Amino acid sequence: MNAAGVKKPVAKTEDEIELIRQSSLLVGKTLAELASWIKPGVTTLELDRIADEFIRDHGAYPGFNGYRGYPNSICASVNSAVVHGVPGSAPLKEGDVVSIDIGVVKDGFWGDSAYTFAVGEVKPDVRRLLEVTLECLDLAVEQAVAGKRLGDIGFAVQSHAEAHGYGVVRELVGHGLGRNLHEPPEVANYGKRGTGLVLHEGWVIAIEPMINLGSRHVREMEDGWTIRTRDDRPSAHYEHTLVIRKEQAEVLSTFKWIHEALASK
Ligand code: MF3
Ligand code: CO
């Protein structure tokens, strides 16, 4: 604990990192499995069932299921839903975007990753939002190096998103993870260079920019979960689990299989 009562992050051992890698890779495989199913007409509840079965078949547990009472195994956030969208029976439509966020637990350790998919053809401004949000994540990962600070990560996301006129969500943040889904530190998507905690080798964190086409403001829906943009314009969300290293972050999750699945659609 520091003076503010906030627990300090603890570096993971290489054995622990290996287990987080296995969980994170399974999330990447599950997202890729869903990538091939995402098209107009499919429901997010169907995607939830497919992911749930896929994760259990791989000897893991879909960790979001029951987490603080969460009712499903994936979060599926469509269009103006930013994050924590609860799967439902409304079919996806051409032109929608859907963020799928998945956490799995295997051998006691979490992996957490998310990807925003286009459903069929989406409008150019929304397509651009997805590209730039993915760039925000990549720029943040570049900053996730020992000796840099949390504010360097936040600045990388915020400056790139705002240069495109987008809104950066502030109410939700990335996080450390390991035996728990949410561990210190909090990883904000906004900030000032050279401020905040100094990053240490071995910290495992999830970086997850949530970027809005319109204003940054959000509201929580009556379901107690879904976070939606206040102006009802679309939002995008990508997330990687990674470990802080000396020269370059080691990304433990992967979008490789998603991109392969999308290319062969
Ligand atoms: N990836 C999210 C997070 O990091 C999702 C957790 S919400 C849950 O906070 F309740 F579904 F687990
Ligand atoms: Co997360």
Side-chain angles (χ1 to χ4, degrees):
M1 295 266 217
N2 62 18
V6 178
K7 278 222 184 87
K8 275 203 65 180
V10 178
K12 265 61 179 180
T13 67
E14 294 303 323
D15 287 348
E16 291 171 331
I17 290 167
E18 198 45 45
L19 294 176
I20 299 168
R21 186 197 316 280
Q22 294 311 317
S23 295
S24 301
L25 291 175
L26 178 54
V27 176
K29 281 189 190 140
T30 311
L31 287 169
E33 173 68 19
L34 295 186
S36 57
W37 288 90
I38 292 173
K39 47 174 89 64
V42 75
T43 72
T44 51
L45 205 48
E46 287 165 341
L47 299 175
D48 179 73
R49 293 301 89 202
I50 293 161
D52 182 276
E53 187 179 335
F54 189 88
I55 293 164
R56 294 177 198 267
D57 281 352
H58 286 78
Y61 181 75
F64 291 174
N65 201 307
Y67 184 83
R68 296 185 186 158
Y70 187 73
N72 289 83
S73 295
I74 67 172
C75 297
S77 307
V78 181
N79 297 335
S80 65
V82 180
V83 287
H84 302 169
V86 179
S89 52
L92 293 173
K93 306 180 304 299
E94 179 92 18
D96 284 348
V97 289
V98 57
S99 151
I100 307 283
D101 190 348
I102 300 181
V104 311
V105 189
K106 195 170 192 287
D107 298 321
F109 285 85
W110 283 80
D112 185 13
S113 182
Y115 195 92
T116 302
F117 297 90
V119 181
E121 286 297 314
V122 304
K123 289 201 189 110
D125 59 341
V126 178
R127 165 58 58 195
R128 188 73 187 127
L129 172 70
L130 302 192
E131 287 167 3
V132 171
T133 305
L134 188 51
E135 289 166 8
C136 285
L137 175 56
D138 290 339
L139 291 166
V141 169
E142 280 178 24
Q143 297 298 313
V145 172
K148 296 238 186 202
R149 290 168 178 267
L150 279 175
D152 296 319
I153 292 177
F155 177 84
V157 173
Q158 183 182 11
S159 56
H160 192 59
E162 290 181 352
H164 288 83
Y166 300 147
V168 176
V169 175
R170 298 184 183 223
E171 288 80 357
L172 299 122
V173 295
H175 49 95
L177 69 162
R179 285 194 182 277
N180 303 292
L181 175 59
H182 294 123
E183 299 183 0
E186 289 195 350
V187 183
N189 294 303
Y190 58 93
K192 290 189 175 35
R193 269 192 278 211
T195 67
L197 285 184
V198 176
L199 305 174
H200 288 271
E201 180 163 26
W203 287 7
V204 174
I205 60 172
I207 301 181
E208 46 182 320
M210 290 151 261
I211 307 297
N212 299 346
L213 192 55
S215 96
R216 70 175 183 82
H217 296 287
V218 296
R219 63 204 157 99
E220 189 184 301
M221 305 309 289
E222 299 77 59
D223 63 12
W225 285 103
T226 311
I227 305 295
R228 211 172 267 294
T229 58
R230 241 194 250 170
D231 60 13
D232 279 322
R233 299 184 73 197
S235 184
H237 171 226
Y238 293 85
E239 177 177 23
H240 269 318
T241 293
L242 59 89
V243 54
I244 307 289
R245 297 293 194 193
K246 286 207 173 74
E247 303 294 329
Q248 195 179 21
E250 191 181 345
V251 180
L252 301 175
S253 49
T254 180
F255 297 153
K256 174 180 68 179
W257 297 309
I258 298 173
H259 292 150
E260 284 174 11
L262 293 177
S264 66
K265 258 172 117 172

